[in-house]
mmCIF file of all heavy atoms in Angstrom:
data_model
loop_
_atom_site.group_PDB
_atom_site.id
_atom_site.type_symbol
_atom_site.label_atom_id
_atom_site.label_comp_id
_atom_site.label_asym_id
_atom_site.label_seq_id
_atom_site.Cartn_x
_atom_site.Cartn_y
_atom_site.Cartn_z
ATOM 1 N N GLN A 71 -0.692 14.213 12.498
ATOM 2 C CA GLN A 71 -1.735 14.731 13.374
ATOM 3 C C GLN A 71 -1.626 16.251 13.518
ATOM 4 O O GLN A 71 -2.636 16.957 13.559
ATOM 5 C CB GLN A 71 -1.637 14.071 14.753
ATOM 6 C CG GLN A 71 -2.027 12.605 14.778
ATOM 7 C CD GLN A 71 -3.517 12.386 14.608
ATOM 8 O OE1 GLN A 71 -4.317 13.290 14.849
ATOM 9 N NE2 GLN A 71 -3.908 11.192 14.199
ATOM 10 N N GLY A 103 -19.644 21.534 14.402
ATOM 11 C CA GLY A 103 -18.848 21.943 13.251
ATOM 12 C C GLY A 103 -19.205 21.233 11.965
ATOM 13 O O GLY A 103 -18.635 21.526 10.911
ATOM 14 N N SER A 136 14.849 7.055 -7.408
ATOM 15 C CA SER A 136 14.960 6.600 -6.022
ATOM 16 C C SER A 136 15.903 5.421 -5.830
ATOM 17 O O SER A 136 16.542 5.291 -4.792
ATOM 18 C CB SER A 136 13.568 6.220 -5.490
ATOM 19 O OG SER A 136 12.685 7.317 -5.544
ATOM 20 N N LEU A 165 -9.505 11.336 -8.092
ATOM 21 C CA LEU A 165 -8.183 11.844 -7.739
ATOM 22 C C LEU A 165 -7.408 10.689 -7.127
ATOM 23 O O LEU A 165 -7.757 10.213 -6.041
ATOM 24 C CB LEU A 165 -8.293 13.012 -6.747
ATOM 25 C CG LEU A 165 -6.992 13.732 -6.414
ATOM 26 C CD1 LEU A 165 -6.522 14.557 -7.606
ATOM 27 C CD2 LEU A 165 -7.175 14.630 -5.184
ATOM 28 N N LYS A 203 -15.556 5.536 -26.352
ATOM 29 C CA LYS A 203 -15.975 6.672 -27.181
ATOM 30 C C LYS A 203 -14.959 6.989 -28.278
ATOM 31 O O LYS A 203 -15.199 7.830 -29.144
ATOM 32 C CB LYS A 203 -16.173 7.908 -26.293
ATOM 33 C CG LYS A 203 -17.351 7.801 -25.322
ATOM 34 C CD LYS A 203 -17.316 8.911 -24.273
ATOM 35 C CE LYS A 203 -17.752 10.236 -24.833
ATOM 36 N NZ LYS A 203 -19.186 10.310 -25.097
ATOM 37 N N GLY A 280 11.328 0.945 -8.120
ATOM 38 C CA GLY A 280 11.306 0.352 -6.791
ATOM 39 C C GLY A 280 9.982 0.623 -6.119
ATOM 40 O O GLY A 280 9.608 1.778 -5.928
ATOM 41 N N THR A 312 9.957 8.538 -1.157
ATOM 42 C CA THR A 312 10.462 7.364 -1.866
ATOM 43 C C THR A 312 9.797 6.144 -1.265
ATOM 44 O O THR A 312 9.416 6.139 -0.093
ATOM 45 C CB THR A 312 11.996 7.232 -1.763
ATOM 46 O OG1 THR A 312 12.383 7.177 -0.392
ATOM 47 C CG2 THR A 312 12.691 8.399 -2.429
ATOM 48 N N VAL A 342 -18.176 -7.345 9.328
ATOM 49 C CA VAL A 342 -16.728 -7.217 9.563
ATOM 50 C C VAL A 342 -16.502 -6.125 10.603
ATOM 51 O O VAL A 342 -17.021 -5.019 10.484
ATOM 52 C CB VAL A 342 -15.981 -6.874 8.264
ATOM 53 C CG1 VAL A 342 -14.493 -6.689 8.529
ATOM 54 C CG2 VAL A 342 -16.198 -7.958 7.221
ATOM 55 N N ALA A 350 3.902 -4.451 6.801
ATOM 56 C CA ALA A 350 5.166 -5.177 6.721
ATOM 57 C C ALA A 350 5.177 -6.188 5.587
ATOM 58 O O ALA A 350 6.239 -6.563 5.089
ATOM 59 C CB ALA A 350 5.444 -5.883 8.052
ATOM 60 N N HIS A 431 -9.693 -21.834 1.557
ATOM 61 C CA HIS A 431 -10.554 -21.656 0.388
ATOM 62 C C HIS A 431 -9.803 -20.830 -0.661
ATOM 63 O O HIS A 431 -9.516 -19.650 -0.450
ATOM 64 C CB HIS A 431 -11.862 -20.968 0.778
ATOM 65 C CG HIS A 431 -12.603 -21.697 1.854
ATOM 66 N ND1 HIS A 431 -13.495 -22.708 1.588
ATOM 67 C CD2 HIS A 431 -12.553 -21.581 3.213
ATOM 68 C CE1 HIS A 431 -13.981 -23.171 2.722
ATOM 69 N NE2 HIS A 431 -13.434 -22.507 3.734
ATOM 70 N N SER A 510 6.852 -30.960 -2.617
ATOM 71 C CA SER A 510 5.967 -32.085 -2.318
ATOM 72 C C SER A 510 6.718 -33.150 -1.535
ATOM 73 O O SER A 510 6.164 -33.781 -0.624
ATOM 74 C CB SER A 510 5.405 -32.686 -3.615
ATOM 75 O OG SER A 510 4.591 -31.736 -4.276
ATOM 76 N N SER A 552 5.095 -15.542 -2.349
ATOM 77 C CA SER A 552 4.320 -16.764 -2.597
ATOM 78 C C SER A 552 2.982 -16.455 -3.227
ATOM 79 O O SER A 552 2.364 -15.420 -2.953
ATOM 80 C CB SER A 552 4.106 -17.534 -1.281
ATOM 81 O OG SER A 552 3.328 -16.769 -0.367
ATOM 82 N N LYS A 568 -12.918 -31.158 -5.539
ATOM 83 C CA LYS A 568 -12.287 -29.879 -5.878
ATOM 84 C C LYS A 568 -11.958 -29.017 -4.665
ATOM 85 O O LYS A 568 -11.598 -27.845 -4.807
ATOM 86 C CB LYS A 568 -13.131 -29.092 -6.880
ATOM 87 C CG LYS A 568 -13.355 -29.834 -8.186
ATOM 88 C CD LYS A 568 -14.148 -29.004 -9.169
ATOM 89 C CE LYS A 568 -14.363 -29.770 -10.468
ATOM 90 N NZ LYS A 568 -15.165 -30.999 -10.303
ATOM 91 N N VAL A 577 2.541 -26.090 3.900
ATOM 92 C CA VAL A 577 3.922 -25.719 3.595
ATOM 93 C C VAL A 577 3.880 -24.647 2.512
ATOM 94 O O VAL A 577 3.328 -24.878 1.429
ATOM 95 C CB VAL A 577 4.733 -26.936 3.102
ATOM 96 C CG1 VAL A 577 6.169 -26.516 2.775
ATOM 97 C CG2 VAL A 577 4.729 -28.050 4.160
#
Side-chain angles (χ1 to χ4, degrees):
Q71 290 288 339
S136 301
L165 186 71
K203 293 168 76 72
T312 57
V342 178
H431 304 273
S510 296
S552 64
K568 300 182 180 63
V577 179

